[in-house]
Amino acid sequence: MSIPDVAGEGGVLSPADDLPVHQVAQPIAVVGTTDRHFYDRYYFCAHHSDGSVAIVGGLGQYPNLGVTDAFLSVTWPDHQEVLRCSRELDADRLDLRVGPISVAVESGLRVLHFEAEPNETGIEAELTWTSATPAYLEPRHVNTNGTRVTTESARFCQAGRWSGHLAVDDRRWAIDDDRWLGIRDRSWGLRPVGEPEPVGRRYGRGHAGCLWLSSVLKFSAHMIVAIVQEDAVGRRSLDHAARVDLDGSITYLGPVSHELEFRPGTREVHAAHLRFDGGPDLQVDPMTASYLALGTGYGTEPDWRHGMYQGPLAVQRCSFDLTDVVTRRMAYGLVDSIVAASVPASGARGFGLFEYAVLGGNERYGFGPRTKRDGSDG
């Protein structure tokens, strides 16, 4: 006679409950809030130092929505291909598999695996990430709508190196040398997910529009992290920068100043200059980009957003021609730009991620609100 692991029907006990990690008087499957927007997510970015391809993947759990989903996006000049998957989430929060995509933590904060097993979509990967810097816990991200907290999340970031292989149909990449670099992060807390809620009342006198900048840049002996979130008139809700040395020491760099150059007629950043009160000026030059608004769940597609219920299991492929005008307008939103970074004063060079979004109006850079569904300026 075999003995089941858990007694009863509809139980919420899981293998994670055997670990001393509880934070509230509930089984691990029950999070410490009933807010539907609670999430727990992995994010990975991989790229070659020549900027020829951008690989972005992620896996998220949404316990109060009963959903977990994942994606793998591969972008090279003029094309973006996305494998995305969703399934029902059960009590086992340690089961980091969604269809063919899985995450495995081999050594916490040091070695992780991201895999997309061979599947009918033709997109597959077996990737191992190894840390090159300590993990850095960023300031808590908080947004409100009147008295309601709409975002309250913790996130840490880390630079590292990749190994393994990647294939999209007959295109194959051997990720087998030290020029394959990347950034990863882990975040959890509250962030709008799932089907949209009714709009309801918008509190306060806020100026519609949001500029989001998040940079994680790896140099030979340190990592620079810089984050800015501001509204249409430049009022900031997040402003942070730090240098993280390889020995774990941290130097806070003070407020961030930015100068962004955009490709004519677009909201795509062509070059960026970052300045800090307590650190060096940085030149940031994008090489390639992953458009997270296209197919990954980070966008506003009505049928696929993070945490949106897709049934017991869904596995899809999305293909995007980046030379198409309509597709480029759809790409409006969050952009993960792979960049070469330099310090003009010293000649130091590095690589990393420059993530940005220019949403709605922005007085400084001359953007009006976007009101049309195709993403063009209204």
Side-chain angles (χ1 to χ4, degrees), residues 228-252:
V228 171
Q229 180 173 316
E230 58 186 48
D231 67 12
V233 297
R235 297 185 303 190
R236 296 187 172 182
S237 56
L238 190 57
D239 184 351
H240 179 78
R243 188 186 73 200
V244 183
D245 293 338
L246 300 189
D247 64 3
S249 60
I250 298 171
T251 302
Y252 295 106

Side-chain angles (χ1 to χ4, degrees), residues 264-321:
T266 77
R267 299 189 182 212
E268 292 191 38
V269 175
H270 173 68
H273 308 268
L274 302 179
R275 296 183 174 87
F276 314 101
D277 283 3
D281 293 353
L282 295 181
Q283 170 75 26
V284 177
D285 296 305
M287 297 184 293
T288 189
S290 179
Y291 299 94
L292 295 187
L294 298 177
T296 69
Y298 281 94
T300 57
E301 293 169 288
D303 60 343
W304 195 289
R305 304 182 192 183
H306 287 149
M308 184 176 286
Y309 183 56
Q310 306 291 340
L313 176 65
V315 178
Q316 298 180 1
R317 175 174 175 172
C318 303
S319 299
F320 300 95
D321 176 3

Side-chain angles (χ1 to χ4, degrees), residues 15-24 28 94:
D17 287 295
D18 245 345
L19 302 174
V21 294
H22 295 86
Q23 301 294 310
V24 295
I28 287 294
L94 296 181

Side-chain angles (χ1 to χ4, degrees), residues 109-122:
L109 305 181
R110 294 186 181 274
V111 180
L112 291 89
H113 297 285
F114 184 89
E115 183 173 1
E117 297 177 344
N119 60 87
E120 66 273 16
T121 71

